[in-house]
């Protein structure tokens, strides 16, 4: 799978054979099959996936849209579509209201960033994706965990997290990060924008990919109500 294009279609989870036109939205296509496979189980019918249309040239999104890898090879040729980022990749769903969470298996990956970004940040992609006031994230690099936006705070982490839960409370403007295995909070932002926000992912490590995994528990693990 190399290039990805948008499909002009307003019906969610349409059957692939019912879709018309020459453009394909891979997130829409994969979501349909995930829905069919999981509709009898506890897993979410519309899981968070990676949107390959937004992936920067040094990133490779897996065919099932759940894993993100970095490549040191020559930058891949990709369409210069408006939503493509200069650095990183976005999740398939953006949020303006409600409580949402998604889990990321970072494993042994030694250079990654996770968070949320304003939808309007895509307009800055021609400026080397300067995200200063648009991105709320934590990152792991050179053996250090940090969190921040324009200024970074080094975090004290007792043990290396393997699975990180990101929780977004749009009404409260809160974004929280949790070591899911240890049920240990990592960091919480309390001033997140009320603008539409999209999950953000990035890695510069070739050790192992970042991988979206489906919640082991409901979002009430991180809800404060």
């Amino acid at each position: 799978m190399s290039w990805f294009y948008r499909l002009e279609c307003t019906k969610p989870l349409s059957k692939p054979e019912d879709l018309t036109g020459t453009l394909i939205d891979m997130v829409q296509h994969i979501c349909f099959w995930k829905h069919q496979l999981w509709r009898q189980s506890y897993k979410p019918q519309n899981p968070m996936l990676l949107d390959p249309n937004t992936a920067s040239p040094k990133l490779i999104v897996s065919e099932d849209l759940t894993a993100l890898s970095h490549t040191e090879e020559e930058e891949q040729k990709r369409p210069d579509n408006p939503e493509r980022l200069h650095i990183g990749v976005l999740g398939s769903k953006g949020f303006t209201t409600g409580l949402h969470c998604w889990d990321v298996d970072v494993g042994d990956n030694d250079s990654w960033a996770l968070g949320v970004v304003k939808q309007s940040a895509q307009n800055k992609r021609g400026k080397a994706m300067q995200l200063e006031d648009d991105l709320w994230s934590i990152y792991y690099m050179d053996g250090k965990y940090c969190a921040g936006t324009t200024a970074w705070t080094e975090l004290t982490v007792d043990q290396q997290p393997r699975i990180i839960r990101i929780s977004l409370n749009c009404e409260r403007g809160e974004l929280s990060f949790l070591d899911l295995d240890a049920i240990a909070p990592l960091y919480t932002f309390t001033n997140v924008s009320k603008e539409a926000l999209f999950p953000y992912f990035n890695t510069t490590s070739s050790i192992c990919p970042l991988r979206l995994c489906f919640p082991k528990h409901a979002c009430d693990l991180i809800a404060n109500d």
Side-chain angles (χ1 to χ4, degrees):
M1 184 179 300
S2 54
W3 288 5
F4 304 87
Y5 300 90
R6 293 278 178 194
L7 172 70
E8 295 180 358
C9 179
T10 58
K11 295 181 180 180
L13 297 176
S14 301
K15 294 182 179 180
E17 59 266 27
D18 293 338
L19 302 180
T20 60
T22 59
L23 306 181
I24 297 176
D25 183 334
M26 291 306 299
V27 171
Q28 176 87 355
H29 186 85
I30 294 294
C31 274
F32 169 77
W33 293 114
K34 298 290 188 186
H35 171 68
Q36 298 302 309
L37 291 172
W38 299 335
R39 61 183 176 178
Q40 301 300 326
S41 72
Y42 73 93
K43 295 179 180 178
Q45 292 182 355
N46 295 291
M48 176 66 66
L49 298 172
L50 302 172
D51 184 351
N53 287 344
T54 67
S56 55
K58 283 289 188 179
L59 295 178
I60 299 174
V61 176
S62 63
E63 290 192 3
D64 65 359
L65 310 185
T66 64
L68 182 67
S69 302
H70 175 79
T71 178
E72 293 293 346
E73 297 178 3
E74 185 177 350
E75 291 192 354
Q76 306 163 85
K77 292 182 179 180
R78 289 180 176 166
D80 189 25
N81 48 304
E83 63 267 47
R84 190 170 303 284
L85 303 185
H86 183 78
I87 299 173
V89 65
L90 299 184
S92 58
K93 296 186 287 187
F95 307 109
T96 56
T97 61
L99 174 65
H100 310 275
C101 67
W102 54 98
D103 297 345
V104 182
D105 185 347
V106 298
D108 293 321
N109 190 298
D110 62 352
S111 182
W112 50 260
L114 302 172
V116 297
V117 65
K118 290 181 184 178
Q119 186 175 27
S120 60
Q122 292 178 334
N123 299 329
K124 300 183 179 181
R125 66 190 181 92
K127 301 178 181 179
M129 194 60 178
Q130 298 298 320
L131 294 172
E132 290 181 347
D133 295 319
D134 304 311
L135 172 68
W136 291 261
S137 70
I138 64 172
Y139 75 81
Y140 178 59
M141 185 182 298
D142 298 326
K144 296 180 180 180
Y145 296 88
C146 293
T149 51
T150 55
W152 294 94
T153 300
E154 187 172 345
L155 307 180
T156 300
V157 178
D158 294 332
Q159 64 181 40
Q160 181 176 345
R162 309 284 297 184
I163 299 179
I164 296 176
R165 169 160 294 178
I166 299 99
S167 169
L168 175 65
N169 189 320
C170 295
E171 278 68 34
R172 293 183 179 179
E174 291 181 354
L175 178 70
S176 298
F177 299 84
L178 178 79
D179 178 344
L180 192 57
D181 290 326
I183 314 298
L186 298 171
Y187 194 80
T188 297
F189 292 97
T190 58
N191 60 341
V192 179
S193 173
K194 296 300 179 69
E195 183 183 320
L197 297 169
F198 280 78
Y200 175 84
F201 312 83
N202 191 35
T203 180
T204 57
S205 172
S206 301
I207 293 178
C208 72
L210 303 179
R211 190 174 300 277
L212 284 164
C213 48
F214 302 102
K216 295 179 179 179
H217 311 287
C219 284
D220 57 10
L221 270 178
I222 38 74
N224 293 319
D225 290 335

